[in-house]
Amino acid sequence: MRALPIAVTVLAAALSLTSCGGGSGSTGTSGKSGDASGSAKKAGAAACAIGDTGIQVGPANAATAAGDTGNVPVTLTNKGARCTLKGFPGLTVAAGGTSAAIPADKSAAPEALTLAKGDTASFTITYVRGAEGDAKTLAAKTLKIALPGAATTQSFPWSYGPVAGKGSASEPNASVTPFQPAGD
């Protein structure tokens, strides 16, 4: 009979501990993002404008030899009013007069991400390095970034080597992920 009261006490203590936290094991980020998304839907946050964001490209895990795969992370910081990112960034790599759009990662499903002032988001460019001088390779020197629903771009140097094509230099063997929450 004495085991039953001890078991009840242990069970009550376990239940009270699980109700203290968010249950996810993460720091406050999940709650902040969830609250921001809910508030944005009610407030109708506008799409983020590239002029209201700070953008950092890299540091990258660059492909070092032809045929290798590299990853280039890009982080955006909202410097304006609350706004929403939905979908994929518009990306173009260019060399001289030739440019090629980097397609979205078809296996990824984008979700709306609402950013308050100071919040950050990121996406990753994955590419295959091409062989120098190959007709199917784009010797990229510039990366142009546009946010969803906008034609305005910002340009950044591309220093990660030539990008292999999937048949021609105008079809880069590359992809971009949707926007993800970043930071604390």
Side-chain angles (χ1 to χ4, degrees), residues 27-179:
T27 60
T29 306
S30 295
K32 181 178 176 186
S33 296
D35 292 346
S37 297
S39 298
K41 288 179 184 173
K42 293 176 189 172
C48 295
I50 202 157
D52 291 335
T53 60
I55 300 176
Q56 178 183 344
V57 178
N61 174 18
T64 55
D68 287 350
T69 300
N71 297 299
V72 181
V74 179
T75 304
L76 292 87
T77 303
N78 182 21
K79 294 182 176 185
R82 179 179 301 275
C83 64
T84 301
L85 294 168
K86 181 166 175 137
F88 293 86
L91 302 179
T92 303
V93 283
T98 305
S99 63
I102 296 177
D105 178 352
K106 293 179 182 174
S107 67
E111 295 184 21
L113 180 62
T114 300
L115 303 177
K117 185 173 184 173
D119 284 353
T120 58
S122 66
F123 60 87
T124 301
I125 304 164
T126 300
Y127 73 102
V128 175
R129 186 177 181 122
E132 298 279 345
D134 185 341
K136 295 179 183 177
T137 295
L138 180 63
K141 300 293 181 199
T142 305
L143 170 67
K144 294 181 182 179
I145 300 173
L147 298 182
T152 306
T153 64
Q154 279 191 15
S155 296
F156 299 87
W158 179 268
S159 58
Y160 311 110
V163 179
K166 292 182 179 179
S168 73
S170 63
E171 297 177 82
N173 190 353
S175 64
V176 61
T177 63
F179 296 100

